[in-house]
């Protein structure tokens, strides 16, 4: 963007993830780059109007309050999300993909690999899986053996 361009944003929280980031982006855009900003869902935040001291003062106050509210809402959303995940886990809900069953030849291939008769790459190829998956499955297999 160039000096005197006009930036439309839907909501103030689009400028950053938290209070300080929003204020910093606002400062960079309006003071350093001299870009006008219009926040569509908050008509008071329109830097085209009120370029005098009082207009700037009112705009800064509204910006501070809305930035705080935006960060507070993000914090609340994260907390509610964490609570929802914890409640689901307590009910026994599993997240992620369902685990794939071990191939029929896994035990035999695992023993060959463990005794050093074949490499991990060869073992993974024999089990028809990536090396990282073979190592992961082998680690779990050792725990439950």
């Amino acid at each position: 963007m160039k000096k005197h361009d006009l930036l439309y944003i839907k909501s103030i929280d689009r400028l950053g993830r938290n209070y300080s980031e929003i204020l910093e982006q606002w400062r960079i855009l309006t003071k350093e780059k001299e870009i006008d900003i219009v926040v569509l869902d908050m008509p008071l935040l329109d830097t085209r109007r009120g370029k005098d001291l009082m207009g700037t003062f009112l705009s800064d106050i509204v910006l501070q309050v809305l930035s705080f509210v935006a960060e507070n809402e993000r914090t609340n959303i994260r907390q509610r999300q964490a609570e929802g995940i914890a409640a689901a886990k307590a009910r026994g809900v599993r997240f992620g993909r369902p685990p794939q069953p071990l191939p029929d030849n896994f035990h035999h291939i695992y023993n060959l690999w463990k005794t050093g008769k074949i490499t991990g790459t060869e073992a993974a190829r024999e089990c028809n899986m990536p090396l990282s998956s073979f190592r992961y499955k082998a680690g779990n297999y050792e725990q439950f053996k």
Side-chain angles (χ1 to χ4, degrees), residues 41-59:
D41 69 353
M42 183 51 62
L44 287 173
L45 288 177
D46 183 345
T47 60
R48 297 174 299 179
R49 287 188 258 135
K51 296 270 187 188
D52 61 342
L53 185 60
M54 181 59 85
T56 303
F57 173 71
L58 289 174
S59 181

Side-chain angles (χ1 to χ4, degrees), residues 7 16 20 29 34 44 50 54 62 83 86 104 106 110 121 124 130 139:
L7 173 65
S20 59
L29 291 169
E34 297 182 38
L44 287 173
M54 181 59 85
V62 171
E83 290 168 356
D104 293 335
F106 187 83
Y110 170 81
T121 304

Side-chain angles (χ1 to χ4, degrees), residues 5-130:
D5 278 352
L6 178 59
L7 173 65
Y8 287 95
I9 59 172
K10 181 176 179 352
S11 177
I12 193 68
D13 63 351
R14 305 282 51 177
L15 285 178
R17 295 177 189 264
N18 57 42
Y19 177 77
S20 59
E21 204 173 281
I22 291 170
L23 294 180
E24 178 65 12
Q25 287 301 315
W26 185 273
R27 185 192 63 74
I28 290 169
L29 291 169
T30 59
K31 305 287 192 269
E32 290 180 17
K33 296 190 177 206
E34 297 182 38
I35 293 170
D36 283 319
I37 300 175
V38 176
V39 180
L40 297 174
D41 69 353
M42 183 51 62
L44 287 173
L45 288 177
D46 183 345
T47 60
R48 297 174 299 179
R49 287 188 258 135
K51 296 270 187 188
D52 61 342
L53 185 60
M54 181 59 85
T56 303
F57 173 71
L58 289 174
S59 181
D60 285 349
I61 288 174
V62 171
L63 174 66
Q64 297 254 346
V65 170
L66 290 177
S67 298
F68 172 77
V69 169
E71 180 175 0
N72 198 35
E73 182 58 25
R74 282 183 188 258
T75 302
N76 289 340
I77 288 170
R78 274 194 301 273
Q79 181 180 352
R80 287 191 297 266
Q81 181 183 26
E83 290 168 356
I85 290 170
K89 284 184 177 180
R91 290 191 315 269
V93 174
R94 283 189 37 94
F95 291 89
R97 280 195 229 163
Q100 294 294 315
L102 292 175
D104 293 335
N105 64 345
F106 187 83
H107 178 71
H108 175 68
I109 299 297
Y110 170 81
N111 287 329
L112 292 175
W113 170 73
K114 198 65 177 170
T115 58
K117 294 179 181 166
I118 61 172
T119 67
T121 304
E122 291 169 328
R125 192 177 315 114
E126 288 295 321
C127 290
N128 198 25
M129 62 176 64

